[in-house]
Amino acid sequence: MARQTAFVKVSGDLCQREDVLEWIRRLSSEYFTVILVGGGTQINEAFEKAGFKVGKHGPLGRETESFKESQLARDILEENQEKMQDLLASRGVMATVVIPVLDIGTVLCHINGDIFVLTAYLGFDKIFVLTCQSRVREKRREFKKYSKIEIKGFSDE
């Protein structure tokens, strides 16, 4: 029988936390695991530092006004991806880490992480959204019609 699959969206605010890494370690012992790592808070901080507008979000997520903004957002996500891969590898965790960016014909297309979760919905056996406890209610409301998606809250540290 084929190993079951799990897709896990991890908020960038949680991606280096020991309790989250341990939760993923346990999950990956039972499922082939793919992790989508976010970075909204870190991207906002990088945009502020670079002098870019921060608050421009449409229904599908962050809207960028230039290729430089798209690149900066992707760079932050790739840094989170690399950190998560290294942290998991150091614990012997076998998991694939992805970011919510598509390269379509050399055009960077950022996708809101929660929308990206829905793109994985039909392909995975289990789907988890790991977020800060203060966001759990909002996430449960957002995903309530998707029975396969489970929201896991971690303390706001």
Side-chain angles (χ1 to χ4, degrees):
M1 182 174 170
R3 192 172 187 191
Q4 287 200 308
T5 59
F7 185 85
V8 182
K9 182 209 175 216
V10 180
S11 166
D13 296 326
L14 299 176
C15 67
Q16 295 184 50
R17 295 226 339 229
E18 198 58 46
D19 54 346
V20 172
L21 295 168
E22 176 58 23
W23 187 92
I24 292 170
R25 187 194 64 72
R26 286 192 312 271
L27 179 75
S28 69
S29 70
E30 297 178 44
Y31 295 90
F32 170 77
T33 305
V34 175
I35 299 162
L36 174 71
V37 65
T41 301
Q42 296 92 340
I43 293 169
N44 288 347
E45 290 170 359
F47 271 36
E48 285 177 2
K49 186 175 180 182
F52 298 142
K53 294 179 187 172
V54 172
K56 190 162 181 173
H57 290 76
L60 300 177
R62 182 183 309 275
E63 295 179 22
T64 56
E65 296 181 359
S66 70
F67 185 68
K68 284 186 178 190
E69 289 180 3
S70 292
Q71 277 187 311
L72 179 56
R74 183 198 57 199
D75 290 348
I76 298 299
L77 291 166
E78 287 177 343
E79 287 174 21
N80 284 352
Q81 177 185 34
E82 183 179 347
K83 288 174 188 171
M84 175 69 84
Q85 287 170 326
D86 290 349
L87 287 167
L88 292 172
S90 73
R91 288 157 177 78
V93 176
M94 297 295 297
T96 301
V97 182
V98 299
I99 61 173
V101 178
L102 299 177
D103 184 347
I104 303 175
T106 72
V107 175
L108 294 181
C109 300
H110 287 267
I111 300 171
N112 176 282
D114 292 335
I115 300 296
F116 204 96
V117 166
L118 297 179
T119 66
Y121 190 82
L122 295 176
F124 285 82
D125 298 308
K126 292 274 200 174
I127 298 178
F128 300 94
V129 174
L130 310 187
T131 191
C132 296
Q133 192 64 44
S134 61
R135 299 178 191 150
V136 167
R137 181 179 293 169
E138 172 191 340
K139 296 295 182 189
R140 284 191 177 138
R141 185 179 43 78
E142 182 178 343
F143 291 114
K144 70 179 176 187
K145 65 182 177 180
Y146 301 100
S147 61
K148 204 186 313 185
I149 299 174
E150 187 174 334
I151 311 302
K152 293 281 190 187
F154 290 82
S155 67
D156 295 288
E157 286 186 0

PDB file of all heavy atoms in Angstrom, residues 98-121:
ATOM      1  N   VAL A  98       8.238  23.686   0.035  1.00  0.00           N
ATOM      2  CA  VAL A  98       7.945  24.512  -1.134  1.00  0.00           C
ATOM      3  C   VAL A  98       7.516  25.906  -0.681  1.00  0.00           C
ATOM      4  O   VAL A  98       7.203  26.120   0.488  1.00  0.00           O
ATOM      5  CB  VAL A  98       6.854  23.879  -2.035  1.00  0.00           C
ATOM      6  CG1 VAL A  98       7.303  22.516  -2.565  1.00  0.00           C
ATOM      7  CG2 VAL A  98       5.534  23.740  -1.286  1.00  0.00           C
ATOM      8  N   ILE A  99       7.503  26.840  -1.644  1.00  0.00           N
ATOM      9  CA  ILE A  99       7.039  28.201  -1.358  1.00  0.00           C
ATOM     10  C   ILE A  99       5.879  28.528  -2.285  1.00  0.00           C
ATOM     11  O   ILE A  99       5.756  27.942  -3.364  1.00  0.00           O
ATOM     12  CB  ILE A  99       8.173  29.245  -1.504  1.00  0.00           C
ATOM     13  CG1 ILE A  99       8.729  29.275  -2.929  1.00  0.00           C
ATOM     14  CG2 ILE A  99       9.263  28.986  -0.479  1.00  0.00           C
ATOM     15  CD1 ILE A  99       9.720  30.394  -3.202  1.00  0.00           C
ATOM     16  N   PRO A 100       5.024  29.478  -1.894  1.00  0.00           N
ATOM     17  CA  PRO A 100       3.842  29.812  -2.713  1.00  0.00           C
ATOM     18  C   PRO A 100       4.158  30.800  -3.841  1.00  0.00           C
ATOM     19  O   PRO A 100       3.612  31.899  -3.906  1.00  0.00           O
ATOM     20  CB  PRO A 100       2.873  30.403  -1.684  1.00  0.00           C
ATOM     21  CG  PRO A 100       3.777  31.046  -0.677  1.00  0.00           C
ATOM     22  CD  PRO A 100       4.986  30.155  -0.597  1.00  0.00           C
ATOM     23  N   VAL A 101       5.063  30.380  -4.720  1.00  0.00           N
ATOM     24  CA  VAL A 101       5.425  31.188  -5.882  1.00  0.00           C
ATOM     25  C   VAL A 101       5.528  30.262  -7.074  1.00  0.00           C
ATOM     26  O   VAL A 101       6.190  29.224  -7.003  1.00  0.00           O
ATOM     27  CB  VAL A 101       6.784  31.908  -5.682  1.00  0.00           C
ATOM     28  CG1 VAL A 101       7.161  32.707  -6.922  1.00  0.00           C
ATOM     29  CG2 VAL A 101       6.755  32.804  -4.456  1.00  0.00           C
ATOM     30  N   LEU A 102       4.875  30.638  -8.139  1.00  0.00           N
ATOM     31  CA  LEU A 102       4.997  29.906  -9.396  1.00  0.00           C
ATOM     32  C   LEU A 102       5.789  30.754 -10.376  1.00  0.00           C
ATOM     33  O   LEU A 102       5.648  31.973 -10.398  1.00  0.00           O
ATOM     34  CB  LEU A 102       3.619  29.597  -9.984  1.00  0.00           C
ATOM     35  CG  LEU A 102       2.696  28.728  -9.138  1.00  0.00           C
ATOM     36  CD1 LEU A 102       1.349  28.569  -9.829  1.00  0.00           C
ATOM     37  CD2 LEU A 102       3.319  27.374  -8.875  1.00  0.00           C
ATOM     38  N   ASP A 103       6.603  30.107 -11.175  1.00  0.00           N
ATOM     39  CA  ASP A 103       7.333  30.772 -12.246  1.00  0.00           C
ATOM     40  C   ASP A 103       6.651  30.325 -13.535  1.00  0.00           C
ATOM     41  O   ASP A 103       6.876  29.217 -14.003  1.00  0.00           O
ATOM     42  CB  ASP A 103       8.803  30.346 -12.206  1.00  0.00           C
ATOM     43  CG  ASP A 103       9.649  31.064 -13.236  1.00  0.00           C
ATOM     44  OD1 ASP A 103       9.089  31.702 -14.150  1.00  0.00           O
ATOM     45  OD2 ASP A 103      10.883  30.979 -13.128  1.00  0.00           O
ATOM     46  N   ILE A 104       5.796  31.172 -14.059  1.00  0.00           N
ATOM     47  CA  ILE A 104       5.033  30.822 -15.260  1.00  0.00           C
ATOM     48  C   ILE A 104       5.607  31.593 -16.433  1.00  0.00           C
ATOM     49  O   ILE A 104       5.405  32.806 -16.544  1.00  0.00           O
ATOM     50  CB  ILE A 104       3.528  31.138 -15.077  1.00  0.00           C
ATOM     51  CG1 ILE A 104       2.975  30.396 -13.860  1.00  0.00           C
ATOM     52  CG2 ILE A 104       2.760  30.760 -16.346  1.00  0.00           C
ATOM     53  CD1 ILE A 104       1.536  30.725 -13.520  1.00  0.00           C
ATOM     54  N   GLY A 105       6.354  30.904 -17.275  1.00  0.00           N
ATOM     55  CA  GLY A 105       6.962  31.546 -18.431  1.00  0.00           C
ATOM     56  C   GLY A 105       7.858  32.703 -18.047  1.00  0.00           C
ATOM     57  O   GLY A 105       7.838  33.745 -18.681  1.00  0.00           O
ATOM     58  N   THR A 106       8.644  32.554 -17.008  1.00  0.00           N
ATOM     59  CA  THR A 106       9.572  33.542 -16.437  1.00  0.00           C
ATOM     60  C   THR A 106       8.879  34.675 -15.692  1.00  0.00           C
ATOM     61  O   THR A 106       9.530  35.628 -15.269  1.00  0.00           O
ATOM     62  CB  THR A 106      10.546  34.150 -17.485  1.00  0.00           C
ATOM     63  OG1 THR A 106       9.832  35.025 -18.344  1.00  0.00           O
ATOM     64  CG2 THR A 106      11.263  33.062 -18.269  1.00  0.00           C
ATOM     65  N   VAL A 107       7.592  34.588 -15.475  1.00  0.00           N
ATOM     66  CA  VAL A 107       6.867  35.593 -14.698  1.00  0.00           C
ATOM     67  C   VAL A 107       6.649  35.025 -13.298  1.00  0.00           C
ATOM     68  O   VAL A 107       6.106  33.928 -13.148  1.00  0.00           O
ATOM     69  CB  VAL A 107       5.507  35.952 -15.350  1.00  0.00           C
ATOM     70  CG1 VAL A 107       4.723  36.904 -14.471  1.00  0.00           C
ATOM     71  CG2 VAL A 107       5.720  36.530 -16.744  1.00  0.00           C
ATOM     72  N   LEU A 108       7.097  35.765 -12.283  1.00  0.00           N
ATOM     73  CA  LEU A 108       6.892  35.330 -10.904  1.00  0.00           C
ATOM     74  C   LEU A 108       5.449  35.586 -10.499  1.00  0.00           C
ATOM     75  O   LEU A 108       4.972  36.713 -10.553  1.00  0.00           O
ATOM     76  CB  LEU A 108       7.815  36.099  -9.953  1.00  0.00           C
ATOM     77  CG  LEU A 108       9.310  35.854 -10.097  1.00  0.00           C
ATOM     78  CD1 LEU A 108      10.070  36.681  -9.060  1.00  0.00           C
ATOM     79  CD2 LEU A 108       9.653  34.391  -9.969  1.00  0.00           C
ATOM     80  N   CYS A 109       4.761  34.530 -10.100  1.00  0.00           N
ATOM     81  CA  CYS A 109       3.364  34.638  -9.692  1.00  0.00           C
ATOM     82  C   CYS A 109       3.250  34.209  -8.233  1.00  0.00           C
ATOM     83  O   CYS A 109       3.293  33.015  -7.927  1.00  0.00           O
ATOM     84  CB  CYS A 109       2.478  33.758 -10.571  1.00  0.00           C
ATOM     85  SG  CYS A 109       2.532  34.176 -12.317  1.00  0.00           S
ATOM     86  N   HIS A 110       3.123  35.202  -7.354  1.00  0.00           N
ATOM     87  CA  HIS A 110       2.950  34.908  -5.938  1.00  0.00           C
ATOM     88  C   HIS A 110       1.508  34.486  -5.700  1.00  0.00           C
ATOM     89  O   HIS A 110       0.583  35.048  -6.265  1.00  0.00           O
ATOM     90  CB  HIS A 110       3.267  36.149  -5.096  1.00  0.00           C
ATOM     91  CG  HIS A 110       4.725  36.432  -5.044  1.00  0.00           C
ATOM     92  ND1 HIS A 110       5.524  35.946  -4.038  1.00  0.00           N
ATOM     93  CD2 HIS A 110       5.544  37.119  -5.880  1.00  0.00           C
ATOM     94  CE1 HIS A 110       6.768  36.329  -4.248  1.00  0.00           C
ATOM     95  NE2 HIS A 110       6.804  37.041  -5.358  1.00  0.00           N
ATOM     96  N   ILE A 111       1.358  33.491  -4.847  1.00  0.00           N
ATOM     97  CA  ILE A 111       0.035  32.976  -4.521  1.00  0.00           C
ATOM     98  C   ILE A 111      -0.118  33.044  -3.010  1.00  0.00           C
ATOM     99  O   ILE A 111       0.767  32.600  -2.267  1.00  0.00           O
ATOM    100  CB  ILE A 111      -0.124  31.518  -4.988  1.00  0.00           C
ATOM    101  CG1 ILE A 111       0.079  31.433  -6.500  1.00  0.00           C
ATOM    102  CG2 ILE A 111      -1.481  30.964  -4.598  1.00  0.00           C
ATOM    103  CD1 ILE A 111       0.145  30.029  -7.021  1.00  0.00           C
ATOM    104  N   ASN A 112      -1.215  33.587  -2.547  1.00  0.00           N
ATOM    105  CA  ASN A 112      -1.488  33.584  -1.116  1.00  0.00           C
ATOM    106  C   ASN A 112      -1.396  32.140  -0.622  1.00  0.00           C
ATOM    107  O   ASN A 112      -1.932  31.228  -1.249  1.00  0.00           O
ATOM    108  CB  ASN A 112      -2.882  34.172  -0.875  1.00  0.00           C
ATOM    109  CG  ASN A 112      -3.277  34.125   0.568  1.00  0.00           C
ATOM    110  OD1 ASN A 112      -3.671  33.074   1.052  1.00  0.00           O
ATOM    111  ND2 ASN A 112      -3.183  35.238   1.250  1.00  0.00           N
ATOM    112  N   GLY A 113      -0.718  31.937   0.505  1.00  0.00           N
ATOM    113  CA  GLY A 113      -0.530  30.587   1.022  1.00  0.00           C
ATOM    114  C   GLY A 113      -1.821  29.829   1.248  1.00  0.00           C
ATOM    115  O   GLY A 113      -1.894  28.622   1.027  1.00  0.00           O
ATOM    116  N   ASP A 114      -2.864  30.535   1.672  1.00  0.00           N
ATOM    117  CA  ASP A 114      -4.146  29.868   1.907  1.00  0.00           C
ATOM    118  C   ASP A 114      -4.789  29.435   0.584  1.00  0.00           C
ATOM    119  O   ASP A 114      -5.443  28.392   0.528  1.00  0.00           O
ATOM    120  CB  ASP A 114      -5.087  30.775   2.691  1.00  0.00           C
ATOM    121  CG  ASP A 114      -4.602  30.995   4.120  1.00  0.00           C
ATOM    122  OD1 ASP A 114      -3.863  30.139   4.639  1.00  0.00           O
ATOM    123  OD2 ASP A 114      -4.956  32.026   4.711  1.00  0.00           O
ATOM    124  N   ILE A 115      -4.594  30.203  -0.463  1.00  0.00           N
ATOM    125  CA  ILE A 115      -5.071  29.797  -1.790  1.00  0.00           C
ATOM    126  C   ILE A 115      -4.265  28.600  -2.274  1.00  0.00           C
ATOM    127  O   ILE A 115      -4.799  27.655  -2.852  1.00  0.00           O
ATOM    128  CB  ILE A 115      -4.967  30.968  -2.798  1.00  0.00           C
ATOM    129  CG1 ILE A 115      -5.808  32.163  -2.347  1.00  0.00           C
ATOM    130  CG2 ILE A 115      -5.329  30.521  -4.199  1.00  0.00           C
ATOM    131  CD1 ILE A 115      -7.293  31.922  -2.299  1.00  0.00           C
ATOM    132  N   PHE A 116      -2.965  28.632  -2.014  1.00  0.00           N
ATOM    133  CA  PHE A 116      -2.094  27.516  -2.402  1.00  0.00           C
ATOM    134  C   PHE A 116      -2.556  26.225  -1.732  1.00  0.00           C
ATOM    135  O   PHE A 116      -2.493  25.152  -2.333  1.00  0.00           O
ATOM    136  CB  PHE A 116      -0.647  27.841  -2.040  1.00  0.00           C
ATOM    137  CG  PHE A 116       0.374  27.107  -2.856  1.00  0.00           C
ATOM    138  CD1 PHE A 116       0.943  27.700  -3.970  1.00  0.00           C
ATOM    139  CD2 PHE A 116       0.787  25.833  -2.501  1.00  0.00           C
ATOM    140  CE1 PHE A 116       1.904  27.035  -4.721  1.00  0.00           C
ATOM    141  CE2 PHE A 116       1.739  25.159  -3.247  1.00  0.00           C
ATOM    142  CZ  PHE A 116       2.300  25.763  -4.354  1.00  0.00           C
ATOM    143  N   VAL A 117      -3.001  26.319  -0.490  1.00  0.00           N
ATOM    144  CA  VAL A 117      -3.536  25.150   0.215  1.00  0.00           C
ATOM    145  C   VAL A 117      -4.676  24.528  -0.593  1.00  0.00           C
ATOM    146  O   VAL A 117      -4.757  23.307  -0.748  1.00  0.00           O
ATOM    147  CB  VAL A 117      -4.022  25.542   1.632  1.00  0.00           C
ATOM    148  CG1 VAL A 117      -4.891  24.448   2.248  1.00  0.00           C
ATOM    149  CG2 VAL A 117      -2.842  25.855   2.534  1.00  0.00           C
ATOM    150  N   LEU A 118      -5.538  25.372  -1.129  1.00  0.00           N
ATOM    151  CA  LEU A 118      -6.672  24.858  -1.904  1.00  0.00           C
ATOM    152  C   LEU A 118      -6.230  24.186  -3.197  1.00  0.00           C
ATOM    153  O   LEU A 118      -6.874  23.249  -3.666  1.00  0.00           O
ATOM    154  CB  LEU A 118      -7.668  25.985  -2.191  1.00  0.00           C
ATOM    155  CG  LEU A 118      -8.319  26.603  -0.953  1.00  0.00           C
ATOM    156  CD1 LEU A 118      -9.258  27.728  -1.357  1.00  0.00           C
ATOM    157  CD2 LEU A 118      -9.036  25.558  -0.112  1.00  0.00           C
ATOM    158  N   THR A 119      -5.107  24.642  -3.777  1.00  0.00           N
ATOM    159  CA  THR A 119      -4.622  23.988  -4.996  1.00  0.00           C
ATOM    160  C   THR A 119      -4.140  22.572  -4.701  1.00  0.00           C
ATOM    161  O   THR A 119      -4.133  21.727  -5.591  1.00  0.00           O
ATOM    162  CB  THR A 119      -3.487  24.789  -5.676  1.00  0.00           C
ATOM    163  OG1 THR A 119      -2.338  24.792  -4.843  1.00  0.00           O
ATOM    164  CG2 THR A 119      -3.909  26.203  -6.001  1.00  0.00           C
ATOM    165  N   ALA A 120      -3.740  22.317  -3.465  1.00  0.00           N
ATOM    166  CA  ALA A 120      -3.270  20.986  -3.080  1.00  0.00           C
ATOM    167  C   ALA A 120      -4.403  20.084  -2.595  1.00  0.00           C
ATOM    168  O   ALA A 120      -4.192  18.889  -2.390  1.00  0.00           O
ATOM    169  CB  ALA A 120      -2.211  21.121  -1.982  1.00  0.00           C
ATOM    170  N   TYR A 121      -5.577  20.626  -2.428  1.00  0.00           N
ATOM    171  CA  TYR A 121      -6.679  19.931  -1.757  1.00  0.00           C
ATOM    172  C   TYR A 121      -7.005  18.564  -2.364  1.00  0.00           C
ATOM    173  O   TYR A 121      -7.168  17.581  -1.650  1.00  0.00           O
ATOM    174  CB  TYR A 121      -7.934  20.813  -1.750  1.00  0.00           C
ATOM    175  CG  TYR A 121      -9.026  20.263  -0.872  1.00  0.00           C
ATOM    176  CD1 TYR A 121      -9.015  20.477   0.492  1.00  0.00           C
ATOM    177  CD2 TYR A 121     -10.071  19.519  -1.409  1.00  0.00           C
ATOM    178  CE1 TYR A 121     -10.014  19.970   1.308  1.00  0.00           C
ATOM    179  CE2 TYR A 121     -11.068  19.010  -0.602  1.00  0.00           C
ATOM    180  CZ  TYR A 121     -11.038  19.229   0.751  1.00  0.00           C
ATOM    181  OH  TYR A 121     -12.023  18.724   1.551  1.00  0.00           O
TER     182      TYR A 121
END
